[in-house]
Amino acid sequence: MTATRQIEFREALREAMTEEMHRDKRVFLMGEEVAEYNGAYKVSRGMLEEFGPKRVIDTPISETGFAGLGIGAAMTGLRPIIEFMSWSFSLVAADQILNNAPKMLYMSGGQFGCPIVFRGNCGAGGQLGSTHSWCVESLFSNVPGLKMVMPFDAYDAKGMLKTAIRDENPVFFLESERLLSVKGEVPEQEYLVAFQEALIRRAGDDCTIVSFGRALYFCLEAAQELAKEGIECEVIDGRTIRPLDIESIVKSVRKTNYCVVVDQSWPFASLGAEIAAQVHQYCFDDLDNHVMRVHSDDVPAPYAYNLEQEMLPNARKICQAVRSATYNA
Amino acid sequence: MSIEITMPRLSDTMEQGTIIRWMVKEGDTVSAGDAIADIETDKATMEMQVYDDGTIAKIIIGEGQTVEVGTLIAIVAEEDEELSDIAASAPDAKVDSQSSPKAEKVDSPTQTVPVAIEPEPAASIQTQEDTVVPSYGNGRTRISPVARRLAEDHGIDAASLQGSGPAGRIVKRDVLRAVEAGVETAAAVPPSAAPKPALPITPVSMETQIIEVPTILEDRAIPLSNVRQIIAKRLVESKTSIPHYQVTVVFDMDPLLDLRKTLNEQLADQGVKLSVNDFLVRCCALAMYEHHEFNASWGGDHIHIHGQVNIGVAISLPAERGGGLVVATIYNADQKSLRAISADTKALAEKARTRGLTVDEMSNATFTISNLGMFGVEHFTAIINPPNSAILAIGAALQKPVVRDSVLTVGYEMSATLSLDHRVIDGASAAKFLQTLKKVIENPATLLV
């Protein structure tokens, strides 16, 4: 057994970046407030001191500028980590991150890759209002050429960020502000977490629930509640959205015959819709009901606390969907 | 369990019906077959019968009211049921139980976009469709894919199960309960060989017992096979564009049947068995040879006389090949012996019924014979097979009282009806042709030379 310790999600992220920056001199961190202020969310605390201003770089409030700069650096041999204070702000850099980075290898005929990591908070942080509460996973995962990761806990945050930094492609690393303070077991020893390997967070035979990132906590809460009613859910953490480990999901659905997908982005043309479509495709003869989906409500995020809680794919909605899916409504 | 009486469809075109008169009142006892109401349809006023024994618990649609077919009009209580309970839970008059779920119209003045089927377009939990999906019509079993698979694995007739899912969908647990209840009687037998249970099996708890009458006949649409499409197209063309007329004649069959018997006895060793039809093919071919105008087709601005006598023989196809019929061609039948005609016909019929005929084997007939004699049919008329100008419809050779040499005796007679294209062949020619044919049939020795 390797020794472990309890550290916060944000510390796990920092360890990943620090270890990779020691290992590879091409790796650097750039973003708003990442250096002098130790990070808007204190993820990069102490890193300026450790690596100096050439590798931990504060930027002006210009996502278009520093995202594009990072892409150029990646194309010419460096391994940038670009921090978006929130993925909501990445939208102004859409041309850089969606229209250039993921297509660079293709458009240059293989001459230029784009080994870059974009990371930051994604999803409702807590009363941040409509424009600062974006879940970009459905919108962005539509683009070919990028990878997308949504870690669930400190262990995955560290292991997957290290894998992301070493990846030759642009990796969109979606963290949750709500999870940054959550502590988890992390080994002392160095480790990596591979992409496209979904994980069963809770085993069960009665209904498969598929989710990613923070929404998994809603799922686990719901699963606990449903267990009291005798419905044992299998909660699957997809971990990477692209590439998607559909095999693990299919394997579970073939066992349970029911599937509920929980996706914190909006329902229309979403990640949840994609997974539901694939489950219908691969598990048609194994399904006892159509796949049901739980999303954030199809409205801009409200500011009011109670409304925001109600908008999210919360445990109550998940319970309702599972009961309905398994004909226990 | 109470029985719901709905407005019946009393004619093909009936959409709604009017209750003219109730012959019963609430509390009356009725037996299966009793007339309980007069219903006026779009065509007539008809009596409506009840199909179960019981007591009229509630009349929902009153006299003089008009409702859609399928609307609940009355409720019959079975024995040992409390009438008051049923009456209390029954819907009030004019409730349209048949109407499919429709989206609510939103009256809000700010709502400018028409609201679609989804009651909550912005809903984040995509489960609502269960409540808005209209139910399927008759003949379709709602069953989930995995339930269907399980039912097949266990040899359970899914149609016999009662679904507990939305709109009666059969789901996994319904099949599993049936398996537990021991419905799996047919497991050892392949599903196709499993006997269909006479009555619906309801392994589910009896609290929702369903009264179902096993269906024997039902409306269904059968897609057209290619053969059926061609038959439909060509015969409509023939019957609508060719001025048909018919001429019937009766043949004395004794000489031909005697000759057939003799020949078949002599040829039995060689495995040859000539049919009456084989004789008739040769008879017709010889008559055609003599009457060139019969071996002809209408050419629009001319009449085409064919240089070959090719006789088409109608062959019915078995159901497993889609049914219908094809016309196989015996080429140059006038030049072929009975034995050759017999061999050709047998080979073509066998091929048509197993592998199907080639285009050549079905083309170029100049005259067609359609024979229903083997079914005991005495007389019928056939539709000309274009581009032929005539077709002979042959009935059975039957024993009849006949007059021979001024003596009443018993003999075999066969009737045949010739359908003709009047554009090509006139009545007198037809009569002459039949005269020749009669001469050949009744003096069959000619067939041997």
Side-chain angles (χ1 to χ4, degrees), chain A residues 256-257 267 284-290 292-298 317 320-321 324 326-328, chain B residues 121-130 144-147 149-150 164-166 169-173:
Chain A
T256 63
N257 307 128
F284 185 77
D285 288 316
D286 305 287
L287 287 170
D288 199 34
N289 204 340
H290 65 88
M292 297 197 185
R293 299 189 275 136
V294 184
H295 292 273
S296 285
D297 288 348
D298 198 16
K317 292 186 194 174
Q320 192 188 325
S324 178
T326 57
Y327 304 110
N328 285 300
Chain B
S124 61
I125 309 181
Q126 309 285 305
T127 58
Q128 286 87 348
E129 55 261 57
D130 284 331
S144 81
V146 76
R149 211 187 60 195
L150 278 172
S164 66
R169 183 194 301 159
I170 297 164
V171 299
K172 185 171 75 167
R173 67 172 168 228

Side-chain angles (χ1 to χ4, degrees), chain B residues 254-431:
Chain B
D254 287 332
L256 190 144
L257 292 177
D258 286 347
L259 176 64
R260 174 175 177 250
K261 189 161 174 264
T262 310
L263 289 176
N264 278 347
E265 276 167 10
Q266 288 172 358
L267 295 171
D269 293 348
Q270 299 169 37
V272 174
K273 194 183 174 203
L274 306 169
S275 69
V276 174
N277 203 67
D278 297 334
F279 281 86
L280 296 174
V281 168
R282 180 145 167 84
C283 294
C284 288
L286 293 181
M288 297 279 286
Y289 181 77
E290 262 185 54
H291 297 264
H292 287 297
E293 72 273 23
F294 266 73
N295 204 36
S297 297
W298 177 252
D301 58 354
H302 65 282
I303 288 170
H304 183 86
I305 304 285
H306 298 286
Q308 277 184 326
V309 177
N310 303 331
I311 307 285
V313 180
I315 296 168
S316 65
L317 298 179
E320 58 266 30
R321 284 197 63 81
L325 77 160
V326 292
V327 174
T329 310
I330 316 279
Y331 282 89
N332 299 314
D334 59 323
Q335 296 166 27
K336 280 184 177 154
S337 68
L338 279 170
R339 186 196 292 242
I341 288 171
S342 179
D344 274 11
T345 310
K346 278 202 182 77
L348 287 168
E350 171 67 16
K351 196 172 173 218
R353 286 169 184 156
T354 53
R355 285 166 295 156
L357 298 177
T358 64
V359 174
D360 259 4
E361 286 163 339
M362 295 187 286
S363 311
N364 304 317
T366 56
F367 182 85
T368 306
I369 295 176
S370 180
N371 190 344
L372 292 180
M374 58 290 257
F375 299 111
V377 169
E378 197 171 345
H379 164 256
F380 73 105
T381 65
I383 299 173
I384 292 167
N385 177 33
N388 295 177
S389 297
I391 184 168
L392 191 66
I394 294 171
L398 300 170
Q399 265 193 320
K400 292 204 167 167
V402 293
V403 177
R404 300 266 156 83
D405 301 326
S406 304
V407 176
L408 182 63
T409 178
V410 174
Y412 277 97
E413 280 193 346
M414 185 186 79
S415 135
T417 300
L418 195 59
S419 295
L420 301 120
D421 182 346
H422 214 312
R423 297 172 303 183
V424 182
I425 303 159
D426 299 328
S429 302

Side-chain angles (χ1 to χ4, degrees), chain B residues 12-56:
Chain B
D12 279 351
T13 52
M14 176 175 171
E15 301 288 344
Q16 52 184 27
T18 306
I19 311 271
I20 297 297
R21 183 169 71 96
W22 280 107
M23 302 177 199
V24 291
K25 58 183 187 301
E26 288 175 10
D28 282 1
T29 307
V30 291
S31 306
D34 285 358
I36 57 167
D38 279 335
I39 309 269
E40 186 184 56
T41 73
D42 56 338
K43 295 211 172 96
T45 300
M46 298 165 91
E47 277 185 357
M48 176 188 177
Q49 289 181 356
V50 66
Y51 295 105
D52 302 275
D53 297 342
T55 307
I56 302 290

